Amino acid sequence: MSLQRIVRVSLEHPTSAVCVAGVETLVDIYGSVPEGTEMFEVYGTPGVDIYVSPSMERARERADTRRWHFDTGLEIIVVMNSPSNDLNDSHVQISYHSSHEPLPLAYAVLYLTCVDIALDCDRNCEGRQSRSFVDKRDWVWGPGGYGAILLVNCDRDDLNCYNQDNCDRHVHCLRDLEDMSVMVLRTQGPAALFDDHKLILHTSSYDAKWARVFHACGPKDSCEAYRHVLGRDKVSYEVPRFHGDEEHFFVEGLSFPDASFTGLVSFHVTLLDDSNEDFSESPIFTDTVVFRVAPWIMTPSTLPPLEVYVCRVRNNKGFVDAVAELARKAGCKLTICPQNENRNDRWIQDEMELGYVQAPHKTFPVVFDSPRNGELQDFPYKRILGPDFGYVTREPQDSSVSGLDSFGNLEVSPPVVANGKEYPLGRILIGGNLPGSSGRRVTQVVRDFLYAQRVQPPVELFVDWLAVGHVDEFLSFVPAPDEKGFRMLLASPSACFKLFQEKQKWGHGGALLFKGVVGDKPVNTISINQVLSNASLISYNKSVQSCIDWNREVLKRELGLTERDIIDIPQLFKTERRKAVAFFPDLVNMLVLGKHLGIPKPFGPVINGRCCLEEKVRSLLEPLGLHCTFIDDFTPYHMLHGEVHCGTNVRRQPFSFKWWNMVP
């Protein structure tokens, strides 16, 4: 229980006070005391509980059990648990006594009116209002925690509007209310009390930047009934007295957690005493609730797919057809961005990342639009943003955007346990430079955003050795039917040289790479013997392997992986402008749709009628119950330094685990 204001009693005339149900009121009996007072007694009418606290060391006792020695260190505490029916319908009486007088020296009477005031919301994350006692001023993580959750209302439920729902002060359609959290103000007590008392709903100017509140003031089937009362430039609102004990408010988030915003927003309701014309309004009681804005959550490739995105451009019809067939096998919806919208920008993975937000009452996907701003830059806002599909972006004020800010450089692991800590939603993986070096990094505003979400703590990997510089160029995750639930795939020059050496040993050194490639430009074939005799290629790939191995150790440490959790996929790289690009189509840069994998067709050496690279990948992945489909992306993607994963994107099912049950 929290302590209310101090109320002083007087001998000259009866005193009246307002108390709030369940809240302690401290009664001061020392301001007006008859001369000679040695003891006192205190009694209350039924429904008034009175306690005396002799000192900090001794527990409080019920006041009506005995006569008390008068001591200025005593505290008298009054509690009422039920609201009054009428003004001043309860009272406390104090009688002052002397050992020299048989009758009380004097009496003081404190008349009480009890009102029940509570600002409630879904504190227990169970989709309902709960009034069980918790400290509503706190927000506590974990399965035993509590605190209300607020969604950023970043979708567009009214298709007649261009902007997101939280961009203005209006409710444009009733469906918009489903994305908001309900806050209920409950009041019980004599209606006459509010003739000279006020209820003020308020927040701080800081918190007003992050959330907006609407008051349901009329017929609930009309958008006009929802009045904007708090948020942005509005920090307080006098709640009008309607007929009823409950007032409903709808709260929407305006921004995700970020470097300047922890994600916590507080709202308060204060009962003000306005009964004294000669004195300013005085606060009697304040109740507080705290919301946490739900984080943006990424989905790993091991979660079930729902929808696949791909761009149709001038020369990729066969690729689009192959992706469409894979989506059909996986039971996914397929969305094709036409050429007149993508303007020949095929890198839909780089343009956006598809995640979601979740509260007990609502879950919906949210697209994170990258700051790369290629020809696809309008697609996420104009084509994906819509009813129950939100949008967020972060762009730097300066020109600090690099290739690393494309979202092929933004991945997330499956759930892991590392160094004794659980990460039930996995960990975000982003690429940058080596610690302490001056190479490329993801722009600060994107990193700030990712770290501020807290539920998928990022791991920064070393990718500056790559020409494009994306984590999806050397790693991916696939589902596995065991307790671990996944395997991490790493590109491996060492595994590729080992495979080629085995084939050479068995007399297949003359088998050719790139045989059968069809495209606008001829591609020179190269034999296994030529690859294994190319000293500069071997030396360069040893350097590449050392970079991948550095990341391997980071990933093992930060994701809690062992060698059994990692599969090495044969892959070679070559140098362009002192950076690495894939020598043949990058096999780990794949599309994962449940058990169906869309893997770049490597056009590796054909031995006994079969590509030995494809056969090796099948032997590694098919024992996991996975189905490998090799997709020809050579001309429309590989020749432009991208592959299947770069040219596709996937919306996936959210985690079954609820983010508020974790402890960051």
Side-chain angles (χ1 to χ4, degrees), residues 51-127:
Y51 303 90
V52 172
S53 180
S55 66
M56 293 290 291
E57 292 77 22
R58 292 174 56 187
R60 64 177 60 174
E61 301 176 37
R62 288 194 64 88
D64 55 4
T65 58
R66 61 187 175 93
R67 187 173 289 184
W68 298 87
H69 285 284
F70 193 82
D71 182 348
T72 55
L74 293 176
E75 288 186 343
I76 299 176
I77 300 164
V78 172
V79 180
M80 296 183 68
N81 291 309
S82 299
S84 298
N85 294 317
D86 299 298
L87 294 176
N88 300 325
D89 63 356
S90 300
H91 70 265
V92 172
Q93 179 176 285
I94 302 105
S95 57
Y96 300 86
H97 298 269
S98 169
S99 60
H100 305 293
E101 298 290 340
L103 297 176
L105 300 177
Y107 293 94
V109 178
L110 173 63
Y111 288 98
L112 297 172
T113 302
C114 182
V115 60
D116 191 0
I117 297 173
L119 192 59
D120 279 334
C121 54
D122 178 15
R123 298 194 299 273
N124 292 334
C125 300
E126 294 175 350

Side-chain angles (χ1 to χ4, degrees), residues 54-295:
S55 66
M56 293 290 291
E57 292 77 22
R58 292 174 56 187
R60 64 177 60 174
E61 301 176 37
R62 288 194 64 88
D64 55 4
T65 58
R66 61 187 175 93
R67 187 173 289 184
W68 298 87
H69 285 284
F70 193 82
D71 182 348
T72 55
L74 293 176
E75 288 186 343
I76 299 176
I77 300 164
V78 172
V79 180
M80 296 183 68
N81 291 309
S82 299
S84 298
N85 294 317
D86 299 298
L87 294 176
N88 300 325
D89 63 356
S90 300
H91 70 265
V92 172
Q93 179 176 285
I94 302 105
S95 57
Y96 300 86
H97 298 269
S98 169
S99 60
H100 305 293
E101 298 290 340
L103 297 176
L105 300 177
Y107 293 94
V109 178
L110 173 63
Y111 288 98
L112 297 172
T113 302
C114 182
V115 60
D116 191 0
I117 297 173
L119 192 59
D120 279 334
C121 54
D122 178 15
R123 298 194 299 273
N124 292 334
C125 300
E126 294 175 350
R128 65 177 189 272
Q129 279 73 38
S130 170
R131 303 198 66 189
S132 57
F133 177 74
V134 294
D135 190 343
K136 295 188 290 183
R137 297 167 298 180
D138 292 336
W139 203 98
V140 179
W141 293 86
Y146 51 84
I149 293 171
L150 196 59
L151 293 175
V152 177
N153 193 11
C154 57
D155 65 342
R156 181 171 58 201
D157 287 316
D158 186 352
L159 295 178
N160 294 319
C161 294
Y162 177 77
N163 294 322
Q164 294 161 269
D165 290 340
N166 61 3
C167 285
D168 61 29
R169 304 177 178 186
H170 304 285
V171 174
H172 291 284
C173 68
L174 295 177
R175 182 176 178 177
D176 191 20
L177 299 171
E178 298 174 7
D179 302 334
M180 302 186 196
S181 295
V182 178
M183 186 166 62
V184 181
L185 173 60
R186 294 183 172 90
T187 57
Q188 285 184 287
L193 176 71
F194 294 97
D195 292 342
D196 51 16
H197 289 74
K198 297 178 181 178
L199 282 171
I200 305 296
L201 189 69
H202 56 103
T203 189
S204 68
S205 57
Y206 175 80
D207 285 354
K209 295 189 293 184
W210 314 116
R212 186 180 286 122
V213 178
F214 297 90
H215 184 195
C217 298
K220 294 184 178 181
D221 58 353
S222 169
C223 291
E224 288 71 26
Y226 299 90
R227 181 195 306 168
H228 169 232
V229 297
L230 289 181
R232 298 299 194 195
D233 58 337
K234 292 187 176 184
V235 296
S236 66
Y237 170 64
E238 181 178 345
V239 182
R241 288 297 298 165
F242 294 120
H243 303 293
D245 298 332
E246 293 188 355
E247 296 297 330
H248 288 78
F249 299 87
F250 292 82
V251 190
E252 66 177 2
L254 302 180
S255 182
F256 285 95
D258 217 320
S260 60
F261 175 41
T262 64
L264 293 177
V265 179
S266 297
F267 295 102
H268 321 273
V269 64
T270 295
L271 178 64
L272 293 179
D273 184 350
D274 194 27
S275 61
N276 192 332
E277 295 180 357
D278 300 322
F279 195 75
S280 60
E281 300 166 338
S282 57
I284 294 176
F285 168 77
T286 297
D287 200 14
T288 297
V289 295
V290 177
F291 288 91
R292 182 176 291 280
V293 173

Side-chain angles (χ1 to χ4, degrees), residues 11 21-22 40 60 137 301 325 422 437 482 492 508 534 637 646:
L11 294 175
F40 71 91
R60 64 177 60 174
R137 297 167 298 180
S301 57
E325 176 60 18
E422 294 184 9
S437 68
D482 55 17
S492 175
H508 301 296
N534 189 328
Y637 293 91
C646 305

